[in-house]
């Protein structure tokens, strides 16, 4: 199993364990953006490692991302919403290589395209941060011990509860 697959596995486990997808997605997008930005400024051999770092950030971002729309959209709107997201993503499959090629032709180097990819990664992280509210499934999960936990007492132990006369409440 290579590093990308381990990153997908680990990021999925982390997002499942803490129950918050957006912070994990933001961190992954920032790692990917930093990897592509680093590849611009270093030697080609170190740049190869930086692109591997970018892959470790960008590849696991996709499975974490696809859990988010389902938690925000109603069951009736989930299929059309996910189809719209997928359609925009398919447009990105055409626009990104075309823009990369135009930038490479204009500048005469692939560095401009990598900077463009970095900007898009950072903008994606920013847009995930700016999404308001939490989805239905976007919550902190608390791990319980193996034994059943007793409910928390309403009052401190050893303190008698007072009863108002006439209420009959104990």
């Amino acid at each position: 199993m290579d590093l990308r697959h381990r990153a997908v596995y680990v990021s999925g486990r982390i997002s499942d364990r803490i129950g918050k997808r957006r912070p994990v997605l933001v961190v992954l997008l920032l790692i990917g953006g930093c990897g592509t930005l680093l590849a611009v400024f270093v030697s080609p051999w170190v740049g190869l490692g930086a692109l591997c770092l970018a892959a470790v950030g960008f590849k696991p971002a996709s499975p974490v991302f696809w859990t988010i729309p389902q938690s925000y959209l109603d069951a009736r709107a989930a299929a059309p919403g996910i189809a719209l997201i997928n359609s925009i993503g398919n447009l990105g499959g055409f626009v990104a290589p075309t823009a990369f090629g135009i930038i490479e032709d204009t500048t005469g180097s692939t560095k401009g395209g990598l900077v463009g990819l970095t900007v898009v990664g950072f903008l994606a992280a920013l847009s995930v941060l700016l999404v308001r509210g939490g989805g239905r499934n976007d919550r902190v999960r608390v791990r319980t011990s193996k034994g059943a936990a007793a409910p928390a007492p309403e009052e401190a132990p050893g303190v008698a509860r007072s009863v108002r006369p006439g209420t009959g409440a104990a």
Side-chain angles (χ1 to χ4, degrees):
M1 184 183 301
D2 67 353
L3 189 58
R4 286 178 303 147
H5 291 105
R6 288 183 188 184
V8 170
Y9 177 75
V10 169
S11 65
R13 292 277 299 186
I14 290 171
S15 71
D16 284 347
R17 182 156 304 198
I18 66 173
K20 291 190 174 268
R21 311 284 191 230
R22 291 187 306 157
V24 174
L25 181 59
V26 168
V27 167
L28 290 171
L29 290 170
L30 291 175
I31 289 171
C34 289
T36 55
L37 185 63
L38 183 62
V40 172
F41 297 113
V42 295
S43 70
W45 287 106
V46 178
L48 180 62
L51 290 176
C52 290
L53 178 67
V56 166
F58 285 137
K59 284 303 250 186
S62 181
V64 174
F65 167 78
W66 282 109
T67 61
I68 294 173
Q70 296 173 10
S71 67
Y72 279 89
L73 298 173
D74 184 53
R76 293 170 290 170
I82 291 171
L84 177 65
I85 293 167
N86 197 21
S87 298
I88 294 169
N90 285 336
L91 284 175
F94 168 74
V95 172
T98 303
F100 194 94
I102 291 170
I103 292 171
E104 183 180 359
D105 287 343
T106 304
T107 62
S109 173
T110 58
K111 291 182 179 184
L114 289 174
V115 169
L117 184 59
T118 300
V119 169
V120 169
F122 288 158
L123 286 176
L126 181 65
S127 66
V128 170
L129 279 175
L130 294 178
V131 171
R132 292 272 185 210
R136 292 186 307 269
N137 300 325
D138 198 16
R139 65 187 178 281
V140 176
R141 296 182 184 181
V142 179
R143 292 188 71 190
T144 58
S145 61
K146 290 187 180 190
E154 294 179 21
E155 299 173 353
V159 176
R161 292 178 58 180
S162 61
V163 177
R164 284 196 215 151
T167 62

